[in-house]
Amino acid sequence: MKQKTLLKAIMIFISFFFLHALISPVFGALVSRIFLSLYLIFFFRNNLFRSFKKINFKELLKYLIIFFCTMLFVKVLNSIIFSIFNIVPTNQLNHEQNIIKNPVSAILSTCLLAPLYEEILLRLNFRDSFKSKISFIIITGCLFGFLHLLSATNISELIYCIPYAILGMTLSYIYGNSDNISYSIIIHALNNLIEVILVLIGGTI
C-alpha cells in the first residue's frame, strides 16, 4: 500500500460519512446525497471528465456482460442463503420500501447518485492506494459488501456480505482492469435501474 495516498483516501472516506451524518438529519437523504455527490465530483473532476471522454462502447459492453453474469450468480447465491437462513437484509427491505413509497426520489438516488458516489468513494478514491490490483479488488469489494450491511438488525444478515462483496469485487475488477471509472459507474447505475424496475413491477427484487 502507498501510505500517503491511502491516508488521503481514508480522510476523504471519513469526511464523506461525517458530512452525511451532519447534513442528512437536517436536509433529508436526497439533498444530502446530491451535496455529497458534488463534494466527491469536486475532488475527482479531472479524472471523471477524462474517463467519460474515453468511453469505448465495445469495451463497455464486454464489462457489462461480465457484470451481469456475476449478478445472475449472485441472485442464485442469495436464493440459497435465503432458503437456509430465511432472512432478508434490512438494507434491501428499506430499499424496496423507499422505492415503492417515493419512486421518483428513489430512482434519482438509486440509479444516479448512489452509483456515482459509491464508485468514486470506494473505487476511484482508493485505486492509487494499492500497488497490487488484486489487493485493490478484494479490499474495496469487501468494503462495498460491509457498507451495504450497516443497517443490519440481525447478526445472521452478515452472511449477505458475501454476495454484496462479490458484486463489489466485480465492479472493482472492471475499474482496475479498464482504468476507466465511467464503466463501473454506468454498469452500477444500470444494475440499480433494473432493481428499481423489478420492485416497481413486482414489489420485490
Side-chain angles (χ1 to χ4, degrees):
M1 290 187 183
K2 303 174 185 178
Q3 291 185 348
K4 288 185 178 179
T5 52
L6 178 61
L7 181 61
K8 180 183 176 182
I10 291 173
M11 291 300 294
I12 292 173
F13 184 83
I14 292 172
S15 68
F16 176 90
F17 286 99
F18 174 78
L19 288 171
H20 181 269
L22 197 66
I23 299 169
S24 186
V26 180
F27 297 102
L30 181 59
V31 173
S32 70
R33 287 174 180 175
I34 292 172
F35 174 82
L36 289 168
S37 296
L38 294 173
Y39 171 72
L40 292 175
I41 288 171
F42 173 77
F43 277 109
F44 299 99
R45 58 192 181 278
N46 293 331
N47 195 306
L48 287 167
F49 181 73
R50 286 195 302 268
S51 295
F52 278 94
K53 278 187 70 176
K54 293 194 302 180
I55 291 177
N56 180 307
F57 288 99
K58 185 177 179 180
E59 188 178 32
L60 175 60
L61 180 61
K62 178 185 74 174
Y63 289 120
L64 192 61
I65 292 169
I66 291 171
F67 181 83
F68 279 102
C69 287
T70 306
M71 189 185 72
L72 290 174
F73 169 75
V74 165
K75 292 293 184 186
V76 173
L77 183 57
N78 281 339
S79 298
I80 294 171
I81 292 173
F82 179 76
S83 68
I84 296 172
F85 294 92
N86 195 31
I87 191 168
V88 177
T90 303
N91 173 72
Q92 182 177 322
L93 293 174
N94 293 340
H95 182 55
E96 292 175 2
Q97 290 171 6
N98 187 45
I99 292 171
I100 294 169
K101 291 179 181 178
N102 307 291
V104 175
S105 173
I107 288 170
L108 177 60
S109 180
T110 303
C111 303
L112 179 61
L113 299 176
L116 185 61
Y117 66 70
E118 286 181 9
E119 294 306 311
I120 296 174
L121 186 66
L122 294 175
R123 276 164 267 281
L124 182 55
N125 182 38
F126 281 103
R127 181 64 188 95
D128 292 336
S129 301
F130 296 89
K131 293 180 181 178
S132 166
K133 190 184 295 184
I134 298 295
S135 298
F136 166 72
I137 291 170
I138 293 174
I139 293 173
T140 57
C142 289
L143 184 58
F144 179 85
F146 171 75
L147 289 176
H148 279 77
L149 291 172
L150 285 177
S151 58
T153 57
N154 189 313
I155 195 168
S156 299
E157 290 182 41
L158 296 181
I159 189 65
Y160 280 100
C161 190
I162 297 172
Y164 277 125
I166 291 172
L167 289 176
M169 283 187 275
T170 305
L171 288 167
S172 294
Y173 163 79
I174 289 168
Y175 173 45
N177 201 55
S178 67
D179 195 32
N180 192 325
I181 193 63
S182 68
Y183 292 167
S184 60
I185 292 173
I186 292 169
I187 291 169
H188 193 159
L190 287 173
N191 174 69
N192 287 8
L193 177 61
I194 291 171
E195 291 185 349
V196 168
I197 292 171
L198 290 175
V199 172
L200 292 175
I201 292 174
T204 186
I205 297 176

